[in-house]
Amino acid sequence: MPLPETIFCGQQIKIPPELPDILKQFTKAAVRTQPCDVLQWAAAYFSALSKGEPLPVKERVEMPLATVKAEVGLTPGFLRVLHNQLSSKGTVSVIELKEKWKNLCLPDKQLEVILQVDDFGEEVEWMKVLALGCSTLGESLLSSMEHACKILTKDPEGGAAPVTFETFSFLYSYLASIDGEIPEEETEAFLTRIKEQADQQTGMVLLRNFLTQPSAKF
């Protein structure tokens, strides 16, 4: 004898009070981030949410860069997400980096290329990875630094994108050394000029101050 069908009424169904807001925030995050694999990204989203970790979410919908090929994958928005997730640790394991990278549905090959640029071991200094990520987005050393400043700044988008001279100097020197064709004296002269300008801005480097400076290109 078949079991009778269960009949539910509105009074029997209890919806957790926090569920509507969770789903609303998730939907808005998915729209902003535009992941190519929603299920994979959703798993990472709710895992981070349950652990109280930074979410794999872009701050806003990102328009494609004219200088970035569609198949490249990495964008300034995704790089900022990774920075928000990993920067507080300073040094991260390659395993964790690959996991965060995969959660954003970015191409594995692209990360492999980035990690092959330097002699990284099982752990990497995040700021170096950030610098190399910016170099894949920029067409020159200065445009790479422009991406870095816009990712690192706390100011609203479209502003002067100030960053500390210490941070700017570290990233610039690192990328110049990786290039291998920029004379050390040229790097030092450039940073000396930038420091003079930064000293007038309470130690902060502004976009307009270094984009007009001559610098060797990659």
Side-chain angles (χ1 to χ4, degrees):
M1 180 178 179
L3 295 175
E5 294 184 5
T6 304
I7 300 177
F8 293 99
C9 63
Q11 289 74 16
Q12 291 176 293
I13 301 175
K14 294 184 179 180
I15 299 177
E18 65 274 17
L19 180 60
D21 186 61
I22 290 176
L23 295 179
K24 178 181 178 181
Q25 296 304 321
F26 167 75
T27 302
K28 291 169 63 176
V31 171
R32 290 202 306 273
T33 307
Q34 298 286 303
C36 62
D37 187 332
V38 177
L39 290 179
Q40 178 175 303
W41 174 84
Y45 175 93
F46 285 112
S47 176
L49 184 64
S50 67
K51 298 175 182 177
E53 298 175 350
L55 301 175
V57 179
K58 289 183 181 180
E59 295 180 356
R60 60 188 63 83
V61 176
E62 187 177 24
M63 299 301 293
L65 292 174
T67 56
V68 177
K69 297 180 181 179
E71 69 271 19
V72 167
L74 186 64
T75 65
F78 280 131
L79 201 49
R80 183 191 286 269
V81 172
L82 290 168
H83 181 70
N84 291 339
Q85 293 179 311
L86 300 171
S87 61
S88 63
K89 301 183 179 182
T91 300
V92 298
S93 68
V94 172
I95 293 177
E96 181 177 7
L97 174 58
K98 288 182 176 180
E99 179 184 1
K100 299 297 186 185
W101 189 274
K102 182 178 180 181
N103 289 341
L104 293 175
C105 311
L106 297 173
D108 294 339
K109 183 62 177 179
Q110 190 174 25
L111 180 57
E112 292 177 7
V113 171
I114 290 175
L115 294 178
Q116 289 172 359
V117 173
D118 202 346
D119 187 23
F120 293 120
E122 295 180 356
E123 293 189 337
V124 296
E125 189 174 346
W126 166 248
M127 290 300 287
K128 290 183 177 181
V129 177
L130 173 70
L132 295 175
C134 290
S135 72
T136 68
L137 301 174
E139 297 182 327
S140 68
L141 179 51
L142 288 186
S143 62
S144 299
M145 291 303 302
E146 181 180 2
H147 283 299
C149 290
K150 289 180 178 179
I151 289 169
L152 294 172
T153 189
K154 302 298 183 182
D155 277 18
E157 185 177 2
V163 298
T164 65
F165 173 77
E166 289 75 15
T167 298
F168 183 92
S169 177
F170 173 82
L171 296 175
Y172 186 93
S173 298
Y174 176 68
L175 288 179
S177 68
I178 289 295
D179 176 67
E181 297 184 0
I182 302 177
E184 185 176 347
E185 57 271 20
E186 182 178 326
T187 297
E188 293 178 353
F190 175 81
L191 291 176
T192 296
R193 295 194 299 271
I194 294 302
K195 188 176 188 306
E196 291 174 353
Q197 297 173 336
D199 288 341
Q200 301 175 14
Q201 301 289 338
T202 63
M204 304 300 287
V205 178
L206 309 182
L207 277 180
R208 63 175 179 270
N209 287 348
F210 75 83
L211 289 179
T212 57
Q213 293 287 339
S215 173
K217 296 186 176 183
F218 281 107

